[in-house]
Amino acid sequence: QVQLVESGGGLVQPGGSLTLSCAASGRIASINAMGWYRQAPGKQRELVAAITSGGNTNYADSVKDRFTISDAKNTVYLQMNSLKPEDTAVYYCNAKGSELATPLYVTDYWGLGTQVTVSS
């Protein structure tokens, strides 16, 4: 089993900054990519940013030049600057990887989510 634990959400004023962290633990065989998705009330979950094990990154157009994704050993970070009210959502960590028991079976793992609220 692979567990993802997020931290760093909260309430911030428009124009402010927050950093989200997500640590993966458990019987991990491989992690091919990690990323952040978000879901606002009444909307579908959407990709915010992702980073591969090779360091390639991908961002939603709405967050380019404001958010930065980075990673360290089985941990992914999302630095969020110039936050806007429309960034308010539950942010979910995602990892694409496999477990030691089934190393060739790559699947998605999800965290429980952390609330980010941008409001004055």
Side-chain angles (χ1 to χ4, degrees):
Q1 191 75 11
V2 175
Q3 296 86 34
L4 301 179
V5 178
E6 302 121 329
S7 62
L11 172 65
V12 64
Q13 292 187 341
S17 299
L18 278 176
T19 300
L20 305 182
S21 301
C22 172
S25 63
R27 298 179 59 79
I28 300 169
S30 66
I31 294 181
N32 299 337
M34 296 187 77
W36 292 93
Y37 289 70
R38 67 186 180 187
Q39 188 166 18
K43 295 188 176 181
Q44 289 189 332
R45 189 175 296 189
E46 63 175 359
L47 173 68
V48 177
I51 185 166
T52 69
S53 57
N56 294 316
T57 58
N58 182 35
Y59 294 92
D61 288 342
S62 60
V63 306
K64 281 180 181 176
D65 300 324
R66 298 189 298 122
F67 291 9
T68 302
I69 191 168
S70 62
D71 67 344
K73 175 72 173 173
N74 291 346
T75 301
V76 65
Y77 306 92
L78 186 68
Q79 174 67 44
M80 304 185 293
N81 298 325
S82 303
L83 283 160
K84 304 175 181 179
E86 50 263 44
D87 294 318
T88 296
V90 178
Y91 284 69
Y92 295 92
C93 179
N94 169 267
K96 301 183 187 305
S98 63
E99 302 175 25
L100 291 174
T102 53
L104 299 182
Y105 177 67
V106 178
T107 188
D108 283 289
Y109 300 93
W110 293 94
L112 296 179
T114 185
Q115 177 70 46
V116 172
T117 302
V118 184
S119 175
S120 55

